[in-house]
Amino acid sequence: MNGSPEVEERLPWSRGGNRGGDDDRFVLFVNKQGQTRLAQYYEHLSLDERRALEGEIVRKCLARTDQQCSFVEHRNYKVVYRRYASLFFLVGVDNDENELAILEFIHLLVETMDRHFGNVCELDIMFHLEKVHFMLEEMVMNGCIVETSKQNILAPIQLMEKSS
Amino acid sequence: MAPAPPATAAGPSLVETLFQRSLDDLVKSLRADPSAAGESAAVARALSEIHREIRAADAATKAVALQKLTYLSSLHFAPVASHPLAFPAIELLASPHLPHKRLAYLAASLSLHPASLSLLPLATHQLHKDLSPSASSAAAHRHVSALALQLLASPAAAAAPDLAIHLAHDLVPHLSRGCPRAIAAASRVIASSPSAAVPVLFKPLAACLASPDPRASTAAAAAFCDLSAPPADAAPFLPLAPDLYNLLTTSRSNWALIKVLKVFARLAPLESRLAARIVDPVCQLLTRSAAMSLTFECIRTVLTALPAHDAAVRLAIGKAKEFLAAEDDPNLRYLGLLALGMIGPAYASTVHDCRDVIAQSLGDADSNIRREALHLMMGMVDENNVMDIAGMLVSHAAKSDPEFANEILGAVLAACGRNVYELVEDFDRYASLLADMARSLHCAQGDEIGRQLVDVALRVHDARPELVRSARTLLIDPALLGNHFLCPVLSAAAWISGEYVQFSKDPVELVEALLQPRTSLLPMSVRAVYIHAVFKIITFCFSMYVERLDNSSEAVDAVFDDLAVDQSVGEERNVAHVSGEEQGIRPISVEKDPVSGEEKGIRTHTVEKDPFSHESILYMINLIQTTLGPLVECNEVEVQERARNLIGFIHLAREIQELKERKVNGDKNSRVKELVVTVRAIFCQELGPVSANAQKNVVPPDGLVLENLAELTNIVSEDDTTPSTSVVFHPRSCHSAEVRDEPAVSIGSSSLSEHRKRHGLFYLPTGKAEDEANDYPHANDPLLPASDETVIDDKFKTIEPVLAGKKIKSTKSRPKVVKLDGEDFLSTMVANASVPKEDPLSGAVRGVLLTRDAKPSSSQNVSVIMSEGMLNKTGTCESSSQWMEKRESDLGGDPTSSSRTNKHRDKEKGTDLPEIDGNESRKHRSSSRSGRRQGKHKHRERSSTQPDIVPQAPVIQDFLL
């Protein structure tokens, strides 16, 4: 259906293969039912890999309680997650990434969405997926977090809304 | 579908534009039927729509279709064929309408499918245009270029290195104005094609570190953190230290500080004075910062990169303990444990102080915390506390959930068994601990426990009595027989109690345990071991009995009379047994005969008193006969053969007894003895572990004719294919047979015949076995118990230095553990395996930094200009000259930095060194042959393998003068 898998394997992936930069690998929003609400990958995974990854991680995270820590080791990365109401926000990072900083990042992202949408909920994300992607793009570049000011993050989106 | 295209291309376009479903409609339709089937139907319908719409000539229609497709492909695993997503995206990149452009860029950066990436070079020109300054307003241009930069920074661009190469020059102006996106894009481009991009982009990127704009400097710190991440070599980034230091002392952004600390953590081990320089600011951050993320990063930096600075380490440990004490935050507790795990060996005592907290964490609700606590516990283990910790952990395993319990048991077994039990001093305790582990509720580590039981028995003579005791407790417990995880353990226990029966207090009880009815639950291979163990035990009892007869020769007559009487009883039983067999069932004669029922009571009574009395032997014989009789017909060859052997032996013993009783007295006495002593002699030979390489070390004695040597080498090489380096117990193991073969060669021809007899008895007489036994000196020749002390000592000198120190300091003398020279070859292999390889990025970075004076080729013009700007800028840096001096003097050879490795060097003397001069060689030494502490040195090892730290001296001048 989507090209031959051999081709995928031969591609010179700078990230997955010969480099292990210490930055985000993916950002996922998943609800309690295990439905993905946003998926932003910073490395290439085939559809099957993604499906397996999201399924496994969500199962692992759903099984955890509040008394357990917010870090889950999964394959070769660490998943830092945080739960807000019915949504799980998951960020996959390399092993030596600062977990607490990622938690702060998740919180910042949620606050930013909250400021933009006003009491953000799952539906906002579903119907304005692009905007969330744009916010994420403003915040994370090349897997590194480059922008942490809510105002700066939202400025281009507001500009775009004004223009259209 | 095939005939449709001409119609769809033009016809429905207007209709579609009017009635096209928007993304909102799509989301609503997906939500309308939340079931999986409904959803996939909606997705399929939407996809077919999109495939039609996306070919529309109208940009708006196309854009909405692309938007929907992006949505579906990112969230619903829609099988997006490559072109529908990639090609329209590239078409729309050129759209003058900003929202369309934006959509197209988003689609392009999200679609990481290789097929769509292969189209990305088509966008090169458009990207170039979007990046270049244009006539449109500054705000709009900034916006457009931001989009293009975003795409360049996305992983999509990294997969298309050509794109990066062509656009590298376009990035430079954006870099020089300190745009964070450009910085991120530059880092991505450099990472994806270092050789082309480094000359152009590296220096502008480095300049951003010193940018007054905090956004730029933060982004640059993140970029360098990314570029210097482990597989790459951090050494080329050393010249950036002054700028990074400025950032460390002045930046107010936690994110930037974390990144800077990460870079310093990689640089500090390369340059000892750097560590001294950053230790103060890091400590200040550690004490001042309220942000836990930054605090943790400081702790990590201090513990991993600044272990030589005592005050800083103590401060960091104090903070880590605060993390541990955070009752309400599992995240902090987990990180606290992680931090403790980073503490170097010099501060091991502080980890020991936290033992209670760690032990408490073993019971935490979170499996991550439990696992980390276990890891720390195992890290604390040394020869003084190993048994206490292991005992505590094993008792903890009983309270844990099955998965974690087995993790604990596995960790304990691995720690204690490491490097041939180097940590274990008290093998008696270890033996009983192994038994406790086997009895632990969720134990699934039977294989390893069984292996270690046998291994310890073979290697440690002094532990055998305790092992036999432990084996007894395992064997007499009928509840263990049903647990299939424990079969290997029971098999090992049975073997031990048979092999070392002389240490057993009550062989009769053992025989009863080995023949208890529930043994039928065991797999056949284990039953075979059980039966063989019974054989060994009964042989031992016979021999003791006969010996006793010898000793009390004056009472021989009286005893013989007794024997005769008892024998008649035994004979009756035998008759009964035969008749029972004829009936096809096995009625136990004791039941039938009221007299023998009484006798049984008496017998068990006397048996308890004396296992070698006539009564107990008879009792055992009868027990064996009733239990093993049916197994003579068993389908499993091993079991059948062993049962037959045993039954045959018993019959033989009986017949001789009969003979003795009815005919010539003196003769039969000696024949009983001969039989018993012969069989016993077979079993009482010492078994030892055999090195895989031992064969080579055996010198054939003079005068030995090796006729069929060629044939034998084939056989031996076949046997050597097993990777194990020691004798591993197995019911059919031919290794263990070989070991016992030894006396045949060395003792003389009479035992040779014994040996043959034994082979005839217990093994299928294959030609191979005969050949080996008769004509070839055996692998473990030097290990014969008679001579093992001396031979082992000089043969295994390689291990001695390691053991010597420990032996001296241990207060209680440790029992000798037999070790073989081949057994550390695995660890040596591990050491050799970590051959570092140069990565293209660091090579390129170093290349550009080193070729400052080299003739600037046309393509490097920009970089030269940039570097001059850079020089002026960094020249003002106040600390630059100090950095320089430091660097220079260190290159002259710094004796202090080598002190840390001295200890290793002593140990490692005499190993071959690669041809590397001065400074570098010491680091290689530590890596070349230290099998035990390998992991901890990895970091240093890796950095040390860049032999060109010396040529880097000009680099500093490049930046700082």
Side-chain angles (χ1 to χ4, degrees), chain B residues 417-457:
Chain B
R418 190 172 58 220
N419 211 355
V420 201
Y421 313 100
E422 67 173 353
L423 290 179
V424 181
E425 299 272 344
D426 183 351
F427 279 93
D428 288 355
R429 258 180 95 183
Y430 190 53
S432 54
L433 186 74
L434 282 172
D436 288 345
M437 282 194 236
R439 273 197 300 268
S440 179
L441 190 57
H442 306 293
C443 175
Q445 307 278 340
D447 285 327
E448 179 63 12
I449 296 175
R451 191 194 70 77
Q452 291 203 2
L453 279 172
V454 175
D455 202 35
V456 170

Side-chain angles (χ1 to χ4, degrees), chain B residues 225-377:
Chain B
C225 178
D226 192 21
L227 289 174
S228 65
D233 174 22
F237 298 94
L238 265 177
L240 302 173
D243 289 327
L244 288 168
Y245 180 82
N246 274 348
L247 212 50
L248 181 69
T249 46
T250 57
S251 174
R252 305 178 69 85
S253 151
N254 284 343
W255 190 260
L257 287 172
I258 288 172
K259 294 293 179 189
V260 169
L261 283 170
K262 277 189 189 297
V263 180
F264 273 128
R266 289 171 199 140
L267 295 182
L270 305 177
E271 163 62 81
S272 60
R273 298 186 181 200
L274 184 57
R277 183 83 191 181
I278 61 169
V279 67
D280 280 341
V282 172
C283 286
Q284 275 179 17
L285 282 177
L286 197 52
T287 43
R288 267 205 334 253
S289 173
M292 284 303 175
S293 52
L294 184 56
T295 310
F296 181 68
E297 201 56 50
C298 290
I299 294 175
R300 171 153 49 194
T301 308
V302 169
L303 294 182
T304 56
L306 311 170
H309 298 268
D310 185 66
V313 173
R314 297 209 174 276
L315 184 62
I317 292 174
K319 285 281 178 186
K321 285 182 179 168
E322 282 176 26
F323 274 39
L324 272 185
E327 288 296 328
D328 53 339
D329 191 343
N331 290 342
L332 291 188
R333 287 207 305 276
Y334 173 70
L335 293 176
L337 290 174
L338 272 191
L340 285 189
M342 296 169 198
I343 296 176
Y347 294 89
S349 61
T350 55
V351 183
H352 285 261
D353 296 344
C354 303
R355 199 168 141 176
D356 291 342
V357 189
I358 298 170
Q360 207 184 330
S361 304
L362 282 172
D364 201 278
D366 184 0
S367 57
N368 287 345
I369 293 181
R370 290 201 300 260
R371 200 165 296 141
E372 205 51 49
L374 174 62
H375 184 235
L376 280 174
M377 273 288 176

Side-chain angles (χ1 to χ4, degrees), chain B residues 594-822:
Chain B
V595 182
S596 49
E598 273 171 37
E599 266 184 22
K600 193 190 179 191
I602 299 162
R603 222 176 270 133
T604 43
H605 182 66
T606 47
V607 158
E608 275 166 28
K609 276 196 297 195
D610 180 7
F612 309 121
S613 70
H614 188 81
E615 290 82 3
S616 38
I617 289 195
L618 266 183
Y619 168 67
M620 282 191 274
I621 288 181
N622 290 325
L623 185 65
I624 290 167
Q625 208 144 40
T626 44
T627 324
L628 295 186
L631 289 177
V632 169
E633 306 287 311
C634 177
N635 287 334
E636 185 66 29
V637 177
E638 287 287 330
V639 175
Q640 188 203 46
E641 190 184 359
R642 278 153 210 270
R644 277 183 186 276
N645 286 342
L646 187 44
I647 298 270
F649 174 66
I650 288 167
H651 274 296
L652 211 54
R654 267 204 173 124
E655 274 168 27
I656 290 166
Q657 280 183 324
E658 275 174 48
L659 266 179
K660 160 188 70 186
E661 179 213 325
R662 302 226 170 108
K663 293 170 193 170
V664 211
N665 247 358
D667 187 31
K668 65 192 169 187
N669 185 17
S670 66
R671 287 184 65 182
V672 173
K673 260 194 278 177
E674 194 188 327
L675 174 73
V676 168
V677 169
T678 309
V679 179
R680 174 65 190 153
I682 293 165
F683 287 132
C684 66
Q685 278 305 328
E686 178 80 6
L687 287 175
V690 183
S691 161
N693 306 328
Q695 183 72 57
K696 284 186 235 130
N697 302 330
V698 177
V699 186
D702 287 344
L704 183 68
V705 185
L706 301 170
E707 291 164 357
N708 45 1
L709 198 57
E711 210 175 298
L712 275 166
T713 38
N714 290 339
I715 293 162
V716 170
S717 63
E718 273 165 32
D719 283 357
D720 282 353
T721 51
T722 50
S724 82
T725 57
S726 67
V727 170
V728 178
F729 176 76
H730 187 275
R732 305 186 192 198
S733 163
C734 55
H735 268 286
S736 49
E738 283 167 20
V739 174
R740 273 180 281 177
D741 289 343
E742 263 324 294
V745 179
S746 52
I747 291 169
S749 60
S750 69
S751 41
L752 242 177
S753 61
E754 281 173 23
H755 165 81
R756 286 210 185 94
K757 195 194 282 173
R758 194 176 71 80
H759 263 277
L761 269 176
F762 303 112
Y763 294 93
L764 292 173
T766 60
K768 174 176 159 186
E770 287 285 298
D771 286 344
E772 271 182 61
N774 295 345
D775 301 322
Y776 204 71
H778 272 273
N780 60 338
D781 204 354
L783 290 181
L784 273 178
S787 60
D788 70 335
E789 292 299 315
T790 52
V791 178
I792 288 170
D793 279 351
D794 62 24
K795 200 178 150 201
F796 304 136
K797 264 178 195 145
T798 47
I799 337 170
E800 275 316 306
V802 184
L803 287 176
K806 202 187 299 162
K807 270 186 185 163
I808 290 159
K809 87 171 168 226
S810 65
T811 49
K812 185 184 160 193
S813 74
R814 183 173 186 263
K816 177 159 189 66
V817 181
V818 180
K819 271 171 131 189
L820 305 166
D821 57 351

Side-chain angles (χ1 to χ4, degrees), chain A residues 60-73 78-83 88 90 99-100 103, chain B residues 326-338 364-372:
Chain A
K60 273 190 187 173
C61 293
L62 284 177
R64 297 174 69 82
T65 65
D66 290 345
Q67 279 82 53
Q68 304 187 329
C69 67
S70 315
F71 320 124
V72 184
E73 305 263 349
K78 193 182 278 177
V79 177
V80 181
Y81 73 94
R82 199 157 180 162
R83 188 183 154 174
F88 282 88
L90 308 126
E99 297 89 347
L100 294 173
L103 280 179
Chain B
E327 288 296 328
D328 53 339
D329 191 343
N331 290 342
L332 291 188
R333 287 207 305 276
Y334 173 70
L335 293 176
L337 290 174
L338 272 191
D364 201 278
D366 184 0
S367 57
N368 287 345
I369 293 181
R370 290 201 300 260
R371 200 165 296 141
E372 205 51 49

Side-chain angles (χ1 to χ4, degrees), chain A residues 15 70-71 96 130 138, chain B residues 67 103 181 262 331 368:
Chain A
R15 210 128 292 267
S70 315
F71 320 124
D96 64 342
E130 281 171 318
E138 292 295 327
Chain B
Q67 188 183 29
L103 260 178
R181 282 164 182 260
K262 277 189 189 297
N331 290 342
N368 287 345

